[in-house]
Amino acid sequence: FGQLGLNPNTTSLLATGVYGVVNMLSTLPAVVLLDSVGRRPLLMWGAIGCFVSLVMVGSLIAVYGDDWPAHMTAGRVAIAFVFLYDVNFSYSWAPIGWVIPSEIFPLHLRSTGISITTSTTWMSNLHTD
């Protein structure tokens, strides 16, 4: 958010507070839609939404990234697409990635399989700065 032209105080609020609230609220529709709509349509629409959002953010950074102060509107549009990405990811890939492992393993392998998939997910998200 700081690279998109926001000041540091606004950046910390958006990056932690507002983004987290948007993420949580966007996950709630998955609870209802997961069984009624199905996994595949949610994953497909989520992937399309994430793709479009990332293409827009990347394009805006490529075109206006050298001079955000002169293009504040472009920075705000890029931030809006970051939040749109979060919405699309949160109702699709985020929750479904936790549901599918519990459904694919037979009962006698389920606890081991879920342990491995959960460990893999956590290790894949581990990053050191």
Side-chain angles (χ1 to χ4, degrees), residues 28-39:
L28 295 177
V31 174
V32 176
L33 297 175
L34 199 59
D35 288 326
S36 63
V37 174
R39 281 102 171 109

Side-chain angles (χ1 to χ4, degrees), residues 70-86:
H71 302 97
M72 292 302 292
T73 303
R76 287 188 167 84
V77 170
I79 290 168
F81 274 103
V82 168
F83 280 104
L84 189 61
Y85 168 84
D86 183 34

Side-chain angles (χ1 to χ4, degrees), residues 39-127:
R39 281 102 171 109
R40 190 169 195 269
L42 283 177
L43 290 172
M44 295 300 287
W45 283 109
I48 291 167
C50 288
F51 172 77
V52 169
S53 299
L54 290 176
V55 166
M56 290 302 297
V57 171
S59 300
L60 289 166
I61 289 173
V63 173
Y64 301 110
D66 294 333
D67 190 20
W68 286 118
H71 302 97
M72 292 302 292
T73 303
R76 287 188 167 84
V77 170
I79 290 168
F81 274 103
V82 168
F83 280 104
L84 189 61
Y85 168 84
D86 183 34
V87 168
N88 282 289
F89 182 77
S90 295
Y91 77 77
S92 60
W93 291 90
I96 295 175
W98 293 97
V99 171
I100 289 180
S102 68
E103 298 175 343
I104 61 173
F105 293 107
L107 192 56
H108 69 283
L109 295 175
R110 189 165 293 163
S111 61
T112 304
I114 291 175
S115 299
I116 292 169
T117 58
T118 301
S119 298
T120 302
T121 299
W122 280 89
M123 286 186 287
S124 298
N125 288 320
L126 176 70
H127 55 86

